Amino acid sequence: MKMGVLSNKISREELKPGDHIYSWRYAYIYAHHGIYIGEGKVINFTQSQGGREISTGTVLDRIIFSSSSSETRNCPNCGGDQSIRRGVISSCLDCFLTDGELYLFQYAVSPASFVAKPRGGTCTIAASDPSSEVLHRAFFLLHNGFGAYHLFNNNCEDFAIYCKTGLLVITRISVGRSGQATSFLAAASAIVSSPLRYLTTSFTGLAAVGYGMYCFSRLVSDIGVRRDVEKVPVESLVSASAPF
């Protein structure tokens, strides 16, 4: 296992049921996340091919659809055409990875380690629940669903983090639990933030202040730090009319 600032790479032999895994898509632009359940199977949350389930209302609806679990058709291990399936599904590791590398999402990292990671969507300060609870949530949602897919508020990383922690964002005005989504918004905020030009006039100083704002925004938006979250039993998600 190669765990460090730049890599969380793991081999298939090291996987354990209940692990939160991910694989990068489109030259590391985006990662697809899921929960490993053993015997070479992964429960993951996906939208239909072409991104029609994202519903961001932007051009990203057509550009970013890498969370589709697989382009493999008629997989003998999964039983059918994986590319047309959507929602919470069970896939084999090959379909989940789609020729990509395998990485392990880290939990209970220190704030310093969290900030040191240059990319979001690889770790969290929040602690994971026992694997038995993680697998219970994953299997329950496999049969009952996880709501409508949304790139910023309810994506594959949100699904995996909920399975691992049972935490849900209870406000409707902020981004979800996904580290990838918060990193994107943090970067956008650092770039367009008008106060930056008053703090420094040099390019190096501007870059340093911008990166500092990016790291701070990521940190305060992490599921293990923010206060607008609460532990929600998985059974209540089905009974709630609009939990996401």
Side-chain angles (χ1 to χ4, degrees), residues 30-53:
Y30 184 78
H32 184 48
H33 295 247
I35 299 295
Y36 182 70
I37 60 174
E39 299 183 350
K41 294 290 186 179
V42 184
I43 294 179
N44 54 109
F45 184 44
T46 182
Q47 84 277 12
S48 59
Q49 189 177 28
R52 286 185 285 272
E53 295 298 317

Side-chain angles (χ1 to χ4, degrees), residues 109-118 123-125 215 218-220 222:
V109 302
S110 67
S113 297
F114 180 87
V115 172
K117 296 279 188 179
C123 63
T124 179
I125 296 173
C215 292
R218 280 187 56 222
L219 179 63
V220 298
D222 181 66

Side-chain angles (χ1 to χ4, degrees), residues 17-194:
D19 279 347
H20 174 173
I21 60 176
Y22 63 96
S23 182
W24 292 103
R25 304 281 199 264
Y26 291 99
Y28 296 91
I29 294 175
Y30 184 78
H32 184 48
H33 295 247
I35 299 295
Y36 182 70
I37 60 174
E39 299 183 350
K41 294 290 186 179
V42 184
I43 294 179
N44 54 109
F45 184 44
T46 182
Q47 84 277 12
S48 59
Q49 189 177 28
R52 286 185 285 272
E53 295 298 317
I54 294 179
S55 301
T56 64
T58 71
V59 69
L60 291 173
D61 288 0
R62 293 187 297 172
I63 295 176
I64 301 179
F65 56 93
S66 59
S67 196
S68 179
S69 155
S70 174
E71 295 180 0
T72 303
R73 294 184 178 274
N74 299 318
C75 172
N77 296 320
C78 296
D81 186 350
Q82 288 286 292
S83 68
I84 62 175
R85 300 177 66 190
R86 60 187 177 91
V88 182
I89 66 173
S90 176
S91 307
C92 69
L93 264 176
D94 289 332
C95 285
F96 176 83
L97 295 174
T98 58
D99 299 323
E101 300 284 353
L102 177 63
Y103 297 87
L104 180 68
F105 194 97
Q106 293 179 286
Y107 285 81
V109 302
S110 67
S113 297
F114 180 87
V115 172
K117 296 279 188 179
R119 292 290 302 269
T122 62
C123 63
T124 179
I125 296 173
S128 170
D129 288 331
S131 59
S132 58
E133 295 183 34
V134 175
L135 293 172
H136 170 67
R137 294 185 188 114
F139 278 105
F140 187 91
L141 295 174
L142 175 64
H143 297 292
N144 294 279
F146 192 61
Y149 192 102
H150 191 283
L151 181 62
F152 293 119
N153 294 325
N154 200 49
N155 58 38
C156 59
E157 186 184 347
D158 292 320
F159 167 80
I161 289 177
Y162 172 73
C163 288
K164 290 287 285 186
T165 66
L167 297 175
L168 284 180
V169 176
I170 58 177
T171 57
R172 296 179 178 272
I173 60 174
S174 60
V175 73
R177 302 161 296 285
S178 169
Q180 295 181 95
T182 55
S183 290
F184 174 82
L185 296 179
S189 176
I191 291 171
V192 304
S193 180
S194 59

